[in-house]
Amino acid sequence: MNTTQSNGTRKACDLAARPPRERILLAARDLFYRHGLHTVGVDAIAEAALTNKMTLYRHFKSKDDLIVAYIQQLASEGDEVWERIFSENPGDPQKRLDAWVDFVEEVFSNKLERGCALANAAVELDSEHPAKALIESYKRRKRGQLEKLFKDARYHDPRLLADEVFLLFEGARINIQCGKRGPASRVVQMLRKLLASGRRRNRPEGNAKSERRNDTAL
Amino acid sequence: MNTTQSNGTRKACDLAARPPRERILLAARDLFYRHGLHTVGVDAIAEAALTNKMTLYRHFKSKDDLIVAYIQQLASEGDEVWERIFSENPGDPQKRLDAWVDFVEEVFSNKLERGCALANAAVELDSEHPAKALIESYKRRKRGQLEKLFKDARYHDPRLLADEVFLLFEGARINIQCGKRGPASRVVQMLRKLLASGRRRNRPEGNAKSERRNDTAL
DNA sequence: CGAGTATGTTACCGATCAGTACCTAAACGT
DNA sequence: ACGTTTAGGTACTGATCGGTAACATACTCG
């Protein structure tokens, strides 16, 4: 089949006429997520990347190194989502929260039958694996960003709320692997209900000007 | 170094003078939980069980068969915990719920640095693995039992409450692998707060002890 | 005792896997 | 044109792993 489509400089996303390192990371992302880190061999990744094992080892000095790159890729993309939500809703913490829930809803509406790739990787990785620390710091960062958002949006008890929302999200993604019609299918409703019931009413969010942190309600 | 202690018929729990199948299951339980299903080989299990690979294969026809037995063991023990909570609090759904939360608290106070063994196994297992269905049905059963308990204790919206409590518990156990001082360390407080705020007041169990006001779910 | 059974021990097979050596072919800038 | 870099391909090594064969030993129970 034709891999080099008509327009050469186009940023074709699903084509395989891209630099090999990118192809390898794409293949690793797909296979690692679907089948786990340990069950997927480097040969299978190289083959899925339309290349061979030697080229893989020219770009990654070991399989563990590839795993680290895989984790870094996922983490930075998650951070980019967060930054996009921030930049698209400037200065309005409440809108950012709502946009985040919309994002969660979109995540669950897409194929997610294997849950959170980072959490799954953490299950398979030893405590000493260098990727493990990346996952831990990512998860900690996300929870902290949630808490800060709740604080900025003047919610009651932002720490508790962030804990609850974060754990519900985590629990839903681990539990979706035990069936798509379980409690995970209703997590978005739960999140929306949590946000509604925890919202502060004496502080209307009409003017979007104060992205300051001096107004810490609690 | 004496493994056969003085009292022979004693039900010594940590000794290794037990039938080999039991030793193998104990070793598998420890190693599978600590290091995962794929990274632990049958040789390591046999060695930890103070026996050898042949004896292992006389009791389990394959490693997958041992994995199934490992999952069945965990599931039946979880069911026994639930039955014990029931029998120790006869006819009182609220007491049973409180006892369950106490059990959860005990779980988190003990060593749990690797989260839920069943959830971790589900991450590592393919969808076609026979143990996967066991895990799914176990998780579904636990959530259903929680919902029935909330219903019997006359809580508002037992389905939603069971979803929330279940996902919080699941999320806490997957997240504890990213650090013991994270939101998982506060999940018991969250559960107690959820139970307190969701309790129905117009239908007291023993007396008119109106607990909470209205619809603040969390 | 003796026969049958459960267990221990060693050695091995075949497959898979991470990682490498070596060579060839294309792309590239000068 | 040229040399350099990058990528593809093949074949290999060494280790590990799941699983088995064959034999030796211990235990149990009639």
Side-chain angles (χ1 to χ4, degrees):
Chain A
M1 291 312 164
N2 48 356
T3 56
T4 57
Q5 218 79 4
S6 54
N7 41 7
T9 58
R10 188 178 164 227
K11 201 183 175 187
C13 283
D14 47 349
L15 258 324
R18 324 171 81 169
R21 189 177 197 278
E22 201 174 337
R23 297 202 312 263
I24 292 168
L25 273 175
L26 282 172
R29 181 199 192 109
D30 177 47
L31 293 177
F32 280 156
Y33 179 65
R34 275 168 40 206
H35 306 298
L37 306 178
H38 291 321
T39 57
V40 174
V42 289
D43 287 292
I45 294 174
E47 185 182 0
L50 304 177
T51 179
N52 51 59
K53 196 158 49 170
M54 262 319 294
T55 304
L56 190 151
Y57 277 100
R58 286 196 194 97
H59 290 278
F60 305 94
K61 69 183 209 299
S62 68
K63 184 185 181 182
D64 283 330
D65 198 55
L66 175 59
I67 289 175
V68 168
Y70 164 70
I71 297 298
Q72 281 176 330
Q73 174 188 231
L74 295 173
S76 57
E77 287 183 14
D79 288 335
E80 285 168 12
V81 166
W82 193 266
E83 290 166 9
R84 183 175 55 77
I85 288 175
F86 256 62
S87 64
E88 287 180 355
N89 302 275
D92 192 334
Q94 183 59 53
K95 269 194 171 180
R96 287 168 173 171
L97 276 171
D98 295 335
W100 180 77
V101 177
D102 291 341
F103 164 71
V104 170
E105 183 173 29
E106 180 192 335
V107 164
F108 277 94
S109 67
N110 293 346
K111 56 178 171 55
L112 188 72
E113 65 275 2
R114 284 275 301 169
C116 174
L118 290 171
N120 293 355
V123 167
E124 287 200 79
L125 290 178
D126 193 339
S127 302
E128 283 75 28
H129 196 288
K132 192 69 174 289
L134 298 178
I135 299 170
E136 293 176 10
S137 80
Y138 175 82
K139 293 289 185 184
R140 195 160 30 233
R141 182 165 64 249
K142 287 300 139 187
R143 205 219 68 97
Q145 288 168 327
L146 261 182
E147 177 174 341
K148 181 171 188 319
L149 216 45
F150 280 124
K151 194 189 297 181
D152 292 344
R154 306 183 143 272
Y155 274 72
H156 285 121
D157 205 344
R159 191 182 86 146
L160 175 66
L161 208 44
D163 283 343
E164 289 169 336
V165 165
F166 184 78
L167 290 188
L168 282 179
F169 189 29
E170 291 287 288
R173 285 187 292 177
I174 196 67
N175 185 253
I176 206 172
Q177 304 180 59
C178 294
K180 303 196 73 164
R181 286 189 299 276
S185 65
R186 301 180 285 271
V187 72
V188 175
Q189 309 171 31
M190 296 186 229
L191 294 183
R192 293 222 162 90
K193 179 160 157 291
L194 253 179
L195 263 63
S197 66
R199 205 170 283 168
R200 245 202 182 171
R201 353 178 169 6
N202 61 353
R203 195 71 183 92
E205 69 263 53
N207 46 2
K209 205 63 180 297
S210 67
E211 198 185 347
R212 312 288 303 164
R213 53 162 161 261
N214 56 357
D215 51 3
T216 59
L218 258 172
Chain B
M1 297 297 282
N2 49 356
T3 56
T4 57
Q5 217 79 5
S6 54
N7 43 5
T9 58
R10 187 177 166 229
K11 201 182 175 186
C13 283
D14 48 348
L15 256 323
R18 324 173 80 170
R21 190 179 197 277
E22 202 174 336
R23 297 204 310 265
I24 292 168
L25 272 176
L26 282 173
R29 182 200 191 106
D30 177 48
L31 293 177
F32 279 158
Y33 179 64
R34 276 170 37 209
H35 306 297
L37 306 178
H38 291 320
T39 58
V40 173
V42 289
D43 287 290
I45 294 174
E47 185 182 0
L50 304 177
T51 179
N52 50 61
K53 197 158 52 170
M54 262 318 295
T55 305
L56 190 152
Y57 276 101
R58 287 194 191 99
H59 292 277
F60 305 93
K61 68 183 212 297
S62 68
K63 184 185 180 182
D64 283 330
D65 198 56
L66 174 59
I67 289 175
V68 168
Y70 163 71
I71 297 297
Q72 281 175 331
Q73 175 188 232
L74 295 173
S76 56
E77 289 182 15
D79 288 336
E80 287 168 12
V81 166
W82 192 266
E83 291 166 8
R84 182 176 57 76
I85 287 175
F86 257 61
S87 62
E88 288 180 355
N89 302 275
D92 191 336
Q94 184 59 54
K95 269 194 173 181
R96 286 168 173 170
L97 276 172
D98 294 335
W100 180 77
V101 177
D102 290 343
F103 163 71
V104 171
E105 183 173 28
E106 179 192 336
V107 164
F108 277 94
S109 66
N110 293 345
K111 55 179 173 57
L112 188 74
E113 66 276 2
R114 283 276 300 169
C116 174
L118 290 170
N120 293 354
V123 167
E124 287 200 79
L125 291 177
D126 193 339
S127 303
E128 283 75 27
H129 197 287
K132 192 69 175 289
L134 299 178
I135 300 171
E136 292 176 10
S137 81
Y138 174 82
K139 293 290 184 182
R140 194 160 30 232
R141 183 166 61 250
K142 288 300 140 187
R143 204 219 70 97
Q145 289 168 327
L146 261 182
E147 176 173 343
K148 181 172 188 320
L149 215 45
F150 280 123
K151 194 187 300 180
D152 292 344
R154 303 182 147 277
Y155 274 72
H156 282 123
D157 205 344
R159 191 182 88 147
L160 174 66
L161 208 43
D163 284 344
E164 289 170 337
V165 166
F166 183 79
L167 289 189
L168 282 178
F169 189 28
E170 291 287 286
R173 284 187 293 176
I174 195 67
N175 186 253
I176 206 173
Q177 304 180 58
C178 294
K180 302 196 77 165
R181 288 189 298 276
S185 64
R186 302 181 284 271
V187 73
V188 175
Q189 310 171 29
M190 295 185 229
L191 294 182
R192 292 221 162 89
K193 180 161 160 288
L194 251 180
L195 262 64
S197 66
R199 210 168 278 168
R200 211 172 218 195
R201 54 243 159 272
N202 61 352
R203 197 65 183 90
E205 289 301 322
N207 49 7
K209 206 198 284 185
S210 59
E211 298 288 341
R212 235 16 184 171
R213 279 204 299 283
N214 54 4
D215 58 358
T216 63
L218 278 171

